Amino acid sequence: MVSGDPRINSRFIYGKLNEKVNVYVKVYWNSPFLACMDESLSRAEIIDPLFLWIGPDGRNLKGQSYVNVTETGKLKLITFRKSMSGSYGCTLTYKRMKDNLQEEKEAFKSYKFMLFAYRDPDYTFQVSARFSTQACNIVENDQYLEELKKIMEDLIFSLTCELTDEFLKCHVIKVPKHGLQSVLFISFKVNPFAPGWETVCRNLTGDCGDETNSRALKARDRIEEFFLKQTYAHKEFSFVPPIRYLDKSLQILREDKCRPGFGKDEFNHAECPDCCVVCGHGTYNSNNNVRCRVCSSIEINYYGATAC
């Protein structure tokens, strides 16, 4: 993936003759430098080079406040936003000379770059676990779910995360060599958008996506640690609690969501398959769907549409 990740920001992204180069830039980050030449030409001497960069709106980019164009024709876009997505073209004009230096000829080469804004997906976690119980029709089962929910909420409250979609179901299972056993199946989701998360974001500069995902990951780690402690606690007691966690039954699966105006598209953006890439022309995402949808009622001729 070619992106604006600072770990590769020192690299130059070279153009390719007769081929567009896709570049993915994280929103609110700077793009890598785009070189107005191909790799083979970069290894040769170039006489009297002139560089012309044109943006998606057809305007000359030189002198624009949101760009940095070097004297050697390299372009960097500053604090990239979804509206800056689109086709960027550059033309390199230079001279070719004969060996006798008496004749010179002007040469032209053109390069195209397609720049796409992207975000990391927002993380939510689906948590599920099993618990042994005395029977499926006792009120203690629902009480246990409420108690467990309260413990989980206390664990993640400081992270501005919350529980949603709590679910409990009880089944009688035949366990090999242990006969019949009543088992509770409990699941819930953890997301980092509890009341107050907007305040956390306002205290940050730029996009708060990284901070949001960091809080979700910390919440996941705290929940894993809690269930690990339950495993050891049960081993230390000589009696079996009426409802207890079944060792190694915990599953935590990450579910990705994309912000409005962005979506995943592994086919059209194979270089960035896990990215939430800005919705292209003719598509939109109005909420937190994973994918952009095609709009057939009106013509969308810009990037990042949030409505049809």
Side-chain angles (χ1 to χ4, degrees):
M1 177 183 68
V2 175
S3 76
D5 190 315
R7 291 170 297 180
I8 62 171
N9 218 21
S10 60
R11 289 176 51 193
F12 300 140
I13 308 301
Y14 290 101
K16 295 183 179 179
L17 292 174
N18 305 315
E19 182 180 345
K20 288 184 178 180
V21 176
N22 289 345
V23 182
Y24 298 86
V25 186
K26 197 169 184 177
V27 289
Y28 300 109
W29 290 24
N30 298 338
S31 77
F33 273 108
L34 311 179
C36 189
M37 63 183 65
D38 52 77
E39 287 193 61
S40 62
L41 194 60
S42 70
R43 294 188 289 268
E45 287 187 344
I46 304 176
I47 301 174
D48 294 336
L50 295 174
F51 307 94
L52 175 65
W53 279 98
I54 302 296
D57 58 2
R59 292 195 303 173
N60 187 341
L61 291 175
K62 187 174 182 179
Q64 299 296 328
S65 60
Y66 57 90
V67 303
N68 176 12
V69 181
T70 71
E71 62 180 8
T72 55
K74 296 178 178 64
L75 169 72
K76 175 187 283 190
L77 293 117
I78 310 300
T79 316
F80 200 81
R81 300 174 186 269
K82 68 177 184 179
S83 60
M84 296 164 67
S85 300
S87 177
Y88 290 75
C90 69
T91 300
L92 166 61
T93 306
Y94 61 102
K95 292 185 175 68
R96 287 177 175 170
M97 290 188 176
K98 296 288 187 178
D99 292 338
N100 59 12
L101 303 182
Q102 297 298 314
E103 297 181 42
E104 60 181 49
K105 185 177 181 182
E106 201 165 50
F108 303 87
K109 287 193 176 181
S110 296
Y111 305 94
K112 293 287 186 182
F113 298 84
M114 285 298 302
L115 270 67
F116 301 98
Y118 82 91
R119 295 177 182 269
D120 291 328
D122 289 325
Y123 299 162
T124 61
F125 290 97
Q126 176 75 46
V127 181
S128 61
R130 296 184 182 189
F131 302 79
S132 65
T133 184
Q134 292 177 320
C136 282
N137 58 353
I138 58 176
V139 296
E140 286 82 1
N141 293 339
D142 290 326
Q143 292 173 350
Y144 187 82
L145 175 61
E146 290 304 312
E147 292 175 2
L148 181 65
K149 177 183 174 183
K150 180 65 168 60
I151 293 172
M152 296 293 101
E153 288 175 337
D154 289 343
L155 278 176
I156 64 178
F157 176 77
S158 64
L159 299 172
T160 325
C161 294
E162 65 179 356
L163 300 188
T164 63
D165 303 316
E166 301 87 2
F167 176 83
L168 180 147
K169 206 161 189 179
C170 188
H171 294 282
V172 177
I173 298 176
K174 180 184 179 299
V175 181
K177 300 180 181 181
H178 289 85
L180 299 179
Q181 185 177 22
S182 297
V183 176
L184 295 178
F185 293 76
I186 294 179
S187 69
F188 52 86
K189 289 185 179 180
V190 178
N191 81 70
F193 300 108
W197 75 272
E198 298 96 335
T199 302
V200 175
C201 286
R202 280 197 294 269
N203 293 331
L204 300 171
T205 57
D207 183 28
C208 69
D210 291 339
E211 170 64 21
T212 301
N213 285 342
S214 175
R215 289 187 285 108
L217 290 168
K218 289 177 182 177
R220 178 204 61 186
D221 292 344
R222 291 183 184 183
I223 291 171
E224 284 183 332
E225 183 180 2
F226 168 81
F227 280 99
L228 182 61
K229 288 181 178 179
Q230 304 315 300
T231 298
Y232 288 123
H234 290 153
K235 290 178 180 178
E236 293 173 358
F237 289 109
S238 58
F239 66 91
V240 177
I243 298 177
R244 67 185 183 92
Y245 167 64
L246 293 178
D247 187 22
K248 299 180 181 179
S249 68
L250 177 68
Q251 285 191 327
I252 302 182
L253 302 176
R254 197 183 91 188
E255 297 181 357
D256 291 349
K257 296 182 181 297
C258 292
R259 300 281 179 94
F262 294 81
K264 286 189 176 185
D265 188 341
E266 298 87 347
F267 179 76
N268 289 316
H269 300 292
E271 305 99 320
C272 202
D274 294 324
C275 304
C276 291
V277 181
V278 64
C279 295
H281 292 186
T283 66
Y284 73 103
N285 183 5
S286 58
N287 47 39
N288 293 106
N289 290 323
V290 178
R291 302 188 183 281
C292 300
R293 299 178 179 179
V294 175
C295 179
S296 56
S297 59
I298 62 174
E299 182 178 351
I300 299 177
N301 57 3
Y302 59 93
Y303 288 89
T306 58
C308 179

